[in-house]
């Protein structure tokens, strides 16, 4: 069991981390990506930087006074409001698949359900609008593997049955499911993907008689009884004003992951890391931070990042989210690091890949001045020639990413993006290399060595001619000569599709504290708490967790009865 001191330290850290999320109330373009100024973290009066830096510097064994202050700034409310602005039996935060599952189950059991959605009507759903349309459910064997044996056989079997039932329920919303191969096995997909697959279900859910939704209402703090510790509702915010929401029976956190919060990604995973978020601006870890400030346990973070193909850096900054490559190695591109060298098979599938990926290769040998320090293969660039660029659109066109459904369009003509600065163009490889400039993890300028890049391309063209990639084993069918000018490049950044963990829940979807005891009347479902490590429980599993949460809440008496 974790010591009380260490548990309190994690609570301090989580409370401090919410300062960054608090600074992102306005959900504009600045709210999605990636590389955030540290000055932003001081907004709102909490000294975030000093608190997290102090704890990190001592290996999470100490705590700074500044972190304690940040904890107070992010503390949950323990005083019951004199009046509530909204009330329902069950209050669900988030309108993705997990939230929908909770809303439908709550409605069917006769409860009044209020969905609190931080986005507007068009933007609701978070990562649910970025899914590939897969309507499969995990098997018990797969769950056992995905949890690395942490779930008992009984829990795996019971949850597999619930996810299968959710799959069948979801299938009723579509005229016909498409049969396609996925992961080497037959799978069922909804017609379309992304918002095309999500909207039919959410629209019918919101039409249910006992379900209502409030848009642009963001949960800020949980309200708990200071004597019993049970959750009574929450303090939300709209247009800078506090809004009090009463949950007579219970609260379901279905707020999704934290991939749009760079400070959480850095604190939990990767230092000084520039990346893009595919799923949109709402997923900054609100549920994780709110429950964490109440003493909720955090876990299962070690492998909870789900990757997707690289994003085009400059375009992503302008679009306000990840502008994804249409496919890995699209058009026959090669990828090079700042040294001008290839470092991976460009056609490697990154989506949901849990391997140790080359772009995360990190060197940090102490006391060796000759050893490369930091990310060896970041920054990185894609390089094309004229024929490659003319062959196919470089960026994703389908409606499965947030930016593609919220006003951004790369278009069919790649060359139209040169003037926008999204692509670099040059007549020679040497000139191209001179334009391939960026910064490393410390903010120092780096540029690609023209001589090395030219040698890399010459060697690669030799592999193409021989029909064999001797360095990384790329499929010869996906390799093309890189020889016809003008030449093109774009800096790429890793892209997170979503994160899938944070809070630790029981098999009843109860949020647990550091002693593995349920926090009364607080439940969670979906990406804020999936509980698996190797691969996600899919949208059917998220839906099932939401259904389980509402079923448990239904059995409770109202706290104000």
């Amino acid at each position: 069991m974790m010591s009380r001191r260490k548990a309190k330290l994690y609570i301090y850290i989580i409370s401090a981390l919410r300062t960054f999320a608090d600074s992102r109330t306005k959900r504009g373009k600045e709210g999605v990506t990636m590389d955030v100024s540290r000055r932003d973290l001081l907004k709102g009066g909490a000294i975030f930087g000093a608190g997290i830096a102090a704890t990190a510097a001592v290996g999470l064994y100490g705590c700074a006074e500044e972190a304690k202050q940040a904890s107070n700034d992010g503390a949950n409310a323990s005083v019951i409001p004199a009046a509530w602005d909204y009330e329902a039996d069950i209050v669900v935060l988030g309108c993705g698949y997990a939230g929908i599952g909770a809303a439908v189950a709550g409605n069917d059991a006769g409860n009044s359900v209020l969905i609190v959605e931080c986005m507007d009507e068009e933007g609701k759903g978070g990562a649910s609008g970025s899914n590939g349309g897969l309507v499969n459910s995990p098997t018990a064997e797969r769950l056992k593997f995905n949890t690395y044996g942490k779930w008992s056989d009984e829990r795996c079997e019971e949850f597999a049955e619930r996810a299968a039932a959710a799959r069948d329920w979801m299938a009723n919303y579509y005229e016909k499911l498409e049969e396609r191969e996925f992961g080497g096995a037959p799978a069922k997909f909804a017609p379309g993907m992304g918002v095309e697959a999500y909207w039919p279900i959410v629209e019918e859910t919101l039409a249910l008689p006992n379900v209502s939704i409030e848009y642009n209402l963001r949960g800020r703090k949980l309200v708990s009884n200071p004597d019993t510790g049970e959750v009574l509702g929450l303090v939300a915010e709209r247009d800078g004003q506090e809004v009090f929401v009463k949950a007579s029976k219970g609260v379901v956190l279905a707020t999704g992951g934290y991939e749009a919060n760079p400070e959480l990604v850095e604190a939990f995973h990767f230092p000084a890391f520039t990346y893009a978020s595919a799923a949109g601006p709402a997923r900054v870890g609100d549920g994780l931070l709110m429950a964490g400030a109440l003493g909720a346990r955090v876990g299962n973070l070690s492998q909870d990042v789900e990757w997707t193909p690289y994003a085009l850096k400059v375009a992503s900054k302008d679009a306000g989210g990840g502008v994804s490559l249409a496919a890995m190695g699209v058009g026959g591109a090669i990828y090079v690091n700042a040294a001008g060298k290839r470092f991976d098979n460009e056609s490697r599938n990154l989506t949901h890949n849990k391997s140790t990926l080359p772009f995360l290769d990190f060197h940090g040998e102490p006391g060796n001045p000759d050893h490369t320090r930091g990310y060896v293969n970041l920054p990185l660039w894609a390089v094309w020639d004229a024929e490659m660029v003319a062959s196919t659109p470089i960026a994703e066109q389908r409606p499965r990413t947030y930016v593609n459904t919220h006003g951004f369009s790369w278009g069919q003509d790649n060359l139209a993006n040169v003037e926008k600065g999204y692509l670099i163009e040059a007549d020679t490889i040497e000139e191209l290399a001179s334009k391939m400039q960026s910064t490393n993890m410390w903010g120092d300028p780096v540029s690609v060595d023209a001589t090395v890049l030219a040698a890399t391309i010459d060697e690669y063209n030799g592999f193409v001619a021989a029909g064999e990639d001797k360095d990384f084993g790329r499929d010869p069918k996906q390799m093309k000569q890189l020889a016809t000018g003008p030449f093109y490049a774009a800096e790429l950044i890793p892209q997170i599709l979503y994160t899938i963990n944070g809070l630790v829940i029981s098999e009843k979807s109860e949020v647990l504290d550091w002693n593995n005891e349920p926090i009364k009347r607080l439940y969670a479902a979906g990406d804020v708490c999936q509980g698996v490590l190797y691969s996600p429980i899919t949208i059917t599993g998220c839906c099932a967790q939401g259904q389980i949460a509402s079923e448990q809440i239904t059995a409770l008496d109202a706290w104000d009865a």
Side-chain angles (χ1 to χ4, degrees):
M1 180 181 296
M2 177 170 289
S3 70
R4 179 170 298 182
R5 183 184 181 203
K6 193 169 183 182
K8 289 181 69 176
L9 173 59
Y10 272 94
I11 295 171
Y12 290 145
I13 293 172
I14 293 168
S15 297
L17 285 169
R18 79 166 293 114
T19 304
F20 175 76
D22 287 350
S23 72
R24 295 162 92 85
T25 303
K26 294 182 179 179
R27 304 288 183 171
K29 290 183 178 179
E30 73 278 11
V32 188
T33 53
M34 290 155 315
D35 205 4
V36 177
S37 168
R38 302 279 175 174
R39 289 191 296 271
D40 293 340
L41 306 178
L42 301 180
K43 295 178 180 178
I47 305 175
F48 172 96
I52 194 68
T55 54
V58 293
L60 296 182
Y61 289 107
C63 187
E65 290 302 316
E66 291 89 346
K68 294 180 181 179
Q69 179 61 47
S71 174
N72 292 332
D73 291 336
N76 286 301
S78 59
V79 177
I80 301 174
W84 300 90
D85 298 294
Y86 297 97
E87 63 179 274
D89 294 327
I90 301 174
V91 175
V92 180
L93 279 74
C95 193
Y97 285 110
I100 289 171
V104 172
N107 172 86
D108 291 350
N111 300 288
S112 59
V113 180
L114 173 63
I115 300 174
V116 173
E117 171 58 47
C118 66
M119 297 291 283
D120 59 19
E121 184 172 3
E122 181 183 357
K124 65 177 177 285
S128 294
S130 302
N131 74 88
L134 180 64
V135 193
N136 263 23
S137 59
T139 63
E141 293 77 15
R142 188 68 177 175
L143 288 167
K144 190 74 171 182
F145 177 78
N146 287 351
T147 61
Y148 296 167
K150 289 186 176 181
W151 285 13
S152 66
D153 291 342
E154 182 180 9
R155 183 174 180 179
C156 291
E157 290 169 2
E158 289 180 354
F159 190 76
E161 291 178 3
R162 293 302 305 260
R167 175 201 63 206
D168 295 340
W169 170 78
M170 293 176 67
N172 293 329
Y173 287 86
Y174 306 109
E175 292 184 3
K176 183 180 180 180
L177 292 177
E178 301 172 2
E179 296 278 352
R180 299 203 301 268
E181 183 178 295
F182 181 79
K188 294 182 178 181
F189 287 80
M193 59 175 53
V195 294
E196 295 172 344
Y198 165 68
W199 278 99
I201 293 180
V202 71
E203 289 302 299
E204 291 204 28
T205 299
L206 296 180
L208 293 173
N210 298 326
V211 175
S212 60
I213 186 168
E214 287 294 325
Y215 295 108
N216 297 310
L217 188 61
R218 180 181 178 193
R220 288 294 193 176
K221 302 174 183 178
L222 293 168
V223 177
S224 61
N225 185 311
D227 297 321
T228 66
E230 61 184 343
V231 173
L232 312 178
L234 63 129
V235 181
E237 181 184 4
R238 176 186 281 149
D239 298 329
Q241 301 297 313
E242 284 189 334
V243 178
F244 298 98
V245 183
K246 175 182 175 182
S248 295
K249 290 187 175 182
V251 171
V252 181
L253 299 174
T255 50
Y258 54 85
E259 66 276 2
N261 186 332
E263 290 303 319
L264 283 178
V265 170
E266 179 170 346
F268 293 151
H269 301 289
F270 317 112
F273 189 68
T274 299
Y275 69 101
S277 168
R283 294 168 58 93
V284 293
D286 283 343
L288 170 61
L289 297 170
M290 292 167 66
L294 202 61
R297 183 176 179 177
V298 176
N300 300 316
L301 298 171
S302 60
Q303 286 188 300
D304 84 319
V305 173
E306 300 294 326
W307 300 106
T308 196
Y310 296 126
L312 296 129
K313 181 178 180 179
V314 179
S316 295
K317 284 188 173 181
D318 280 359
V323 177
S324 179
L325 291 177
M328 292 297 290
V330 60
I334 65 168
Y335 302 151
V336 298
N337 56 24
K341 297 180 179 180
R342 293 177 68 219
F343 59 89
D344 193 13
N345 174 353
E346 290 83 357
S347 300
R348 176 196 294 267
N349 178 23
L350 295 183
T351 302
H352 301 299
N353 195 325
K354 293 298 177 71
S355 300
T356 302
L357 298 169
F359 67 79
L360 291 173
D361 191 8
F362 191 94
H363 288 180
E365 182 180 340
N368 185 350
D370 298 323
H371 198 290
T372 300
R373 294 192 179 98
Y375 297 105
V376 178
N377 298 314
L378 296 176
L380 72 98
W381 289 264
V383 179
W384 299 268
D385 72 358
E387 292 186 3
M388 294 175 180
V389 165
S391 65
T392 186
I394 290 169
E396 174 69 83
Q397 306 288 304
R398 297 173 295 175
R400 66 167 303 184
T401 61
Y402 180 84
V403 298
N404 283 358
T405 56
H406 290 80
F408 180 82
S409 176
W410 177 272
Q412 298 294 313
D413 182 8
N414 292 320
L415 297 182
N417 293 285
V418 174
E419 289 187 7
K420 299 175 184 177
Y422 301 164
L423 284 178
I424 302 168
E425 182 182 54
D427 291 331
T428 66
I429 294 297
E430 290 73 19
E431 180 189 1
L432 188 70
S434 70
K435 296 181 177 181
M436 295 165 67
Q437 301 181 13
S438 187
T439 56
N440 61 20
M441 63 181 292
W442 293 281
D444 300 325
V446 295
S447 57
V448 173
D449 186 297
T451 301
V452 175
L453 178 62
T456 295
I457 292 173
D458 285 344
E459 180 182 49
Y460 180 77
N461 286 339
F463 293 161
V464 176
E468 180 184 8
D469 179 3
K470 295 182 179 179
D471 285 345
F472 301 106
R474 188 177 186 182
D475 185 346
K477 296 178 181 178
Q478 298 177 341
M479 298 169 62
K480 298 179 181 179
Q481 290 280 338
L482 207 161
T484 305
F487 300 94
Y488 299 87
E491 185 176 353
L492 305 179
I493 49 178
Q495 183 174 205
I496 300 177
L497 181 59
Y498 43 75
T499 57
I500 61 172
N501 281 308
L503 299 177
V504 178
I505 63 171
S506 71
E507 65 273 14
K508 298 178 181 179
S509 292
E510 302 160 308
V511 175
L512 303 178
D513 65 15
W514 287 100
N515 292 316
N516 287 327
E517 295 293 332
I519 297 175
K520 297 176 181 178
R521 300 186 187 274
L522 184 61
Y523 298 78
D527 289 353
V528 71
C529 63
Q530 283 199 26
V532 294
L533 291 166
Y534 186 77
S535 64
I537 57 176
T538 76
I539 58 178
T540 62
C542 292
C543 182
Q545 285 182 336
Q547 292 172 334
I548 292 170
S550 282
E551 289 168 6
Q552 295 297 314
I553 294 173
T554 296
L556 302 176
D557 293 328
W559 59 263
D560 59 345

